[in-house]
Amino acid sequence: MAYIILDRQALVHNLQLIAQKAGGKERIAAVLKDNAYGHGLKIFGTLLKEWGITKAVVRTIAEAMAIQDIFEDIIVLADIPDRVYPFSFALNDLETLERFPPKSMIELKIDTGMHRNGIAMEQIEEAIGRIVEKGLRLRGAFTHFRSADVLGSELFWQERNWQEAKERIERACRSYNIARPRLHSQNSAALFRQGLKDDFARVGIAMYGYLEMDRVFEQPPLEPVLSLWAKRLSKRKLKKGERVGYGGVFEAAKDMVVSTYDAGYGDGIFRSQRYTKDKEILGRVSMDSIVVEGDEKEICVFDDAKELAHSLGTISYELLVKLNPSIARFVR
Ligand SMILES: *Cc1c(COP(=O)(O)O)cnc(C)c1O
């Protein structure tokens, strides 16, 4: 099978840039949803812990359980607990509050304009009242910005709503006599655009070495952490005029040596990918293999997810999360 290399030095470099921007490593919550954006949840989490990150954000309870020995503080974005866990859970909708067992920790999500998840601004007082009444613990409150990565006034408009939400949260907590929850709103793009505005930022893509922001913004010199490699399965001589792979869409224009490597769309690479890092892919991408000219033992399928993603009409996030979780991952 293909394999993945995680570059420890690149990761440390990115974390230093992020910590500088955030004002310390304790101000970073590492977003590890979807198998750490394809990097491998446990192996990537372990690298973060070694560097001093203590907070993680995941999508499901299963992901949180997989890293509970690595992080002391875990937020689950999109799951509802069936019992009390040592994680805190995003409350995405006021109606689901009834399903949380007493003593559960809540991370109250406020819809400040993205209209995807979270309670309405007008429900803040009611939500906090019900959290107190039900014996739940309000640990945090947060929002998510829809346009942190694009130039325009949208972010400022949504930030103003968040400002108002924070004031309402503080007032409601005072009136119910509970501690003010921790507050957070920014993703990678918002953090790099504005500097830290709340107690911490929820950073995903920047750790992995990318930002998908409009070019007008200053781009920090992040470095890609992940590269995908494939090993040679076989080698052959093609005569001029012979064709390669399904449909025979590549025809050799000369006699040439080609090799087949063990990475295909079953590993998560796109069928529309036309080039590896250094070579043209000859003919179609198969489920488990590709063919290129030459006979190297191993080839790099890609080491810059953003550049490749843009050539395929998508973004680094999509390319990375599609990498098959069963591919072996190594740190170098
Ligand atoms: C995915 C996600 C993030 C991280 O976003 P990046 O752009 O990868 O930094 C932060 N917050 C929430 C709620 C998310 O779903």
Side-chain angles (χ1 to χ4, degrees), residues 104-121:
S104 296
M105 289 190 282
I106 301 286
E107 210 81 21
L108 182 64
K109 182 147 197 193
I110 317 293
D111 178 3
T112 55
M114 188 163 180
H115 304 319
R116 188 176 66 170
N117 274 314
I119 64 162
M121 305 270 287

Side-chain angles (χ1 to χ4, degrees), residues 232-239 242-245 255-260 291-295:
R232 192 182 68 206
L233 289 167
S234 70
K235 164 170 97 167
R236 70 204 63 249
K237 285 185 182 137
L238 283 187
K239 291 204 184 69
E242 286 183 323
R243 291 162 178 262
V244 168
D255 291 359
M256 63 198 291
V257 172
V258 301
S259 296
T260 301
V291 177
V292 306
E293 185 171 8
D295 65 350

Side-chain angles (χ1 to χ4, degrees), residues 31 33 37 57 77 109 116 142-144 186-189 202-206 208 317:
V31 181
K33 63 192 182 198
Y37 292 35
V57 181
L77 288 173
K109 182 147 197 193
R116 188 176 66 170
F142 73 112
T143 195
H144 195 57
Q186 296 168 298
N187 64 358
S188 300
R202 302 182 308 273
V203 179
I205 199 73
Y208 307 105
Y317 298 78

